[in-house]
Each structure stands twice: as C-alpha cells, then as structure tokens.
Amino acid sequence: MNRLIRRCVLALSASAVLSSNAMAADAASCQNVRMGVVNWTDVIATSAMTQVLLDGLGYKTKQTSASQQIIFAGIRDQRLDLFLGYWNPLMTQTITPFVEAGQVKVLDKPSLEDARATLAVPTYLADKGLKTFADIARFEKELGGKIYGIEPGSGANTQIKAMIAKNQFGLGKFQLVESSEAGMLAAVDRAVRRKEAVVFFGWAPHPMNVNIAMTYLTGSEDALGPNEGRASVWTVTSPTYAEQCPNVHKLLTNLTFTAADESRMMQPLLDHKDALESARQWLKDHPQDQQRWLDGVTTFDGKPAAANLKLTSK
C-alpha cells in the first residue's frame, strides 16, 4: 500500500512539473521572433545579444534592418514583433503616433537609463571656445558651414534640421550632412587626424567616447532633448506581445544594460567582428549577466533557461 501511495505521489509530482513547464513555455506561434534593427552599433549589439539568447533557448530569430519609421510601421502591420532601440526623446516624435493609436507598446522600464545624445566636438575645438550650441555659428568658416548627422529620417536629423530651418542659434546658413553612423564617424576621424573643426552628432553608449577625445555641447535649450541630451533606451513590441509570448517578454524585461557595458559590447563590432559571435563571447565572459538576464525565463519548450542555454554557433 505504501508503495502505491509513493507511486501516486511521484506521478502527481511529475505531472505538476510537466504542467508547470508547459505553462511556462510560449505558444508555437511565438517560436519565430521577428526583430527590427536600426543600423546603430548599440542597437546592433543589444539585438545580437537578444538573438543569441533566444536562439540558444530554442527560438528562431530573424532580424530586419530598417529605419525607425519602417520598424514601427512593421510592428503596426504585424510584420515585426519587437525593437530594442527606441531612444527617448530622439525617436519620440516618430513613435508617438504609433503609441497613441495603440499600434505599438513600449515596455514599462528602459533597457538603458544613462544614455546621452547631442551635438559634440573634438575636445581641442572646445578648448578653442566651441562649447555651446550658440558658439557653433561663430565657427561657421572653420566648420565649412556643416554639421555631421546620421542616417536620413532619424529623429536626431529631424531635430537638427528644425534648428537650421528656424535659424536657432544662428544656424540658418548651415547644412546637415546626412550619412550612416560609419560614414559620419569616418568623417569625424578624418577631421580629428587633421586637427580640423567638426561638429557632429555624438552619443553614449558608443566607443567613440573612448576612441575620440570629445566634448558634448551644452546650452541646447532642449533642442535635442531635455537635460542636454540625456536619454534612455526602451524596447518596443506589438501591443499584445506580452500576453501572447510571456516568456520572450520576460527575457526582454530582464535585458537591461549600462552605457559603460554597452560601449564595451560595441567595440568588437567596430573592429569588424561578427555581432553574434561577439555576443556569445560576452555571455561566456560575463556569467553574472547571463544569470540575471535568464532569471525566470525558460527555453521554448519550458525547461529552466539558465541550465539549458546553448551558446554554440549555428
């Protein structure tokens, strides 16, 4: 009789474990995760980290590189599931119509709190007196009347163009040079090597803060966001993603970073290393990050994530 009771207890325990795992696992429709990625090194790095974790837990992740407008529209149209690169306030003007229409959802807490994004100059130029937004116009000749921005359509470029259109800070005669992140940094590096004057859109986290002796300009009058460009970064999903795919959503809420760590994550990418391999190496070298990111998360089939993550490349 005792044996029978023990067998029943064991069977009930096993059933409870299986039931718990089944409840923890996401629906089959969640296995394919579609991520939008803007071509910014920080977003590429964090997106690669997310893909490595998801793929290692049995999901099938696909990244689509596009502008922020196309990504938000893709989430609205159910062609994309999530985006890890909403910079607030730089992208706020772009995302607001989608949020107000209930077409996208921003997670409750930022993935990065200590970001910054505003105009910057090489420190040798700041030492010559170009320290504020109001100083730019005084250096128009040395600057060639140019401000170097990032990709067309970005929130930063829109705000810089608005300053020029309104002749704010006397910038009415200036031209915004729109380019990719890599193209802008190449132009800045060239100017720095020649000790030439250059004003550019800078941000942290980014290795540029280590590789270039640079100074962020002050006196922006909130033209590129409040608090002299202080910013935060947020994850965006489809409106019902948390309810439909709670396990992936749990991972997304766990994925928080610091500007210092993200800058280090980004350096291999600027050295032309593969983003996914760099993310795998970071996880191997930083088990404490792996542990906190996987807390309360399971594999796609419901097993504890920390004990079953696979980091081998495919």
Side-chain angles (χ1 to χ4, degrees):
M1 184 68 177
N2 289 339
R3 287 182 180 177
L4 180 59
I5 292 174
R6 282 198 298 271
R7 286 178 182 172
C8 289
V9 170
L10 290 172
L12 287 170
S13 299
S15 176
V17 169
L18 289 173
S19 175
S20 174
N21 284 343
M23 290 175 63
D26 278 338
S29 59
C30 298
Q31 188 170 21
N32 293 310
V33 182
R34 304 164 299 176
M35 299 173 58
V37 183
V38 292
N39 196 30
W40 296 8
T41 307
D42 64 301
V43 181
I44 293 171
T46 56
S47 298
M49 191 69 68
T50 305
Q51 176 168 345
V52 166
L53 289 168
L54 285 171
D55 289 351
L57 296 175
Y59 291 84
K60 300 176 182 178
T61 313
K62 179 182 178 182
Q63 293 190 21
T64 298
S65 181
S67 69
Q68 55 196 265
Q69 294 95 329
I70 291 174
I71 289 172
F72 295 142
I75 295 175
R76 176 198 64 195
D77 298 338
Q78 300 181 10
R79 291 180 285 107
L80 294 172
D81 300 308
L82 55 97
F83 172 52
L84 276 79
Y86 160 39
W87 275 68
N88 179 17
L90 282 175
M91 295 182 184
T92 299
Q93 183 176 351
T94 304
I95 197 175
T96 294
F98 296 94
V99 173
E100 291 180 343
Q103 297 165 338
V104 304
K105 184 174 182 180
V106 180
L107 263 60
D108 293 334
K109 65 177 183 179
S111 59
L112 180 68
E113 293 185 285
D114 58 340
R116 189 174 189 183
T118 189
L119 295 182
V121 298
T123 298
Y124 59 77
L125 191 54
D127 292 340
K128 292 181 179 179
L130 206 171
K131 298 180 179 181
T132 72
F133 277 56
D135 293 328
I136 298 174
R138 294 195 296 109
F139 286 78
E140 180 183 352
K141 183 176 180 181
E142 295 93 321
L143 294 167
K146 296 178 180 178
I147 297 173
Y148 286 83
I150 46 177
E151 76 276 2
S154 66
N157 284 13
T158 299
Q159 291 168 309
I160 295 169
K161 284 181 177 179
M163 286 191 290
I164 293 172
K166 293 185 295 184
N167 194 31
Q168 192 173 6
F169 307 110
L171 298 178
K173 295 181 180 179
F174 274 73
Q175 171 194 358
L176 173 65
V177 180
E178 298 185 287
S179 180
S180 65
E181 173 192 331
M184 182 198 74
L185 289 174
V188 173
D189 286 340
R190 184 166 56 250
V192 169
R193 286 197 306 270
R194 299 171 179 174
K195 292 291 182 180
E196 295 175 345
V198 61
V199 172
F200 60 96
F201 180 67
W203 66 92
H206 197 282
M208 74 172 81
N209 296 273
V210 178
N211 298 335
I212 302 171
M214 57 187 281
T215 299
Y216 289 100
L217 301 184
T218 58
S220 63
E221 299 177 5
D222 295 344
L224 287 177
N227 301 316
E228 304 296 2
R230 298 307 194 281
S232 53
V233 183
W234 302 71
T235 296
V236 180
T237 69
S238 59
T240 58
Y241 197 72
E243 293 76 24
Q244 294 173 339
C245 306
N247 189 53
V248 177
H249 184 264
K250 175 61 176 174
L251 175 63
L252 295 176
T253 60
N254 286 356
L255 280 167
T256 58
F257 308 89
T258 66
D261 278 349
E262 273 198 37
S263 293
R264 288 192 286 270
M265 290 176 192
M266 294 158 67
Q267 187 60 61
L269 279 60
L270 295 183
D271 294 336
H272 308 293
K273 303 285 181 63
D274 179 75
L276 296 177
E277 286 300 328
S278 298
R280 292 187 188 98
Q281 190 61 51
W282 181 275
L283 289 168
K284 293 173 183 176
D285 293 341
H286 300 81
Q288 71 280 6
D289 285 341
Q290 181 176 321
Q291 182 177 359
R292 69 183 179 88
W293 289 336
L294 296 180
D295 182 40
V297 178
T298 72
T299 60
F300 174 68
D301 56 4
K303 299 174 184 176
N308 292 280
L309 179 68
K310 299 178 180 178
L311 289 179
T312 54
S313 57
K314 295 183 178 181

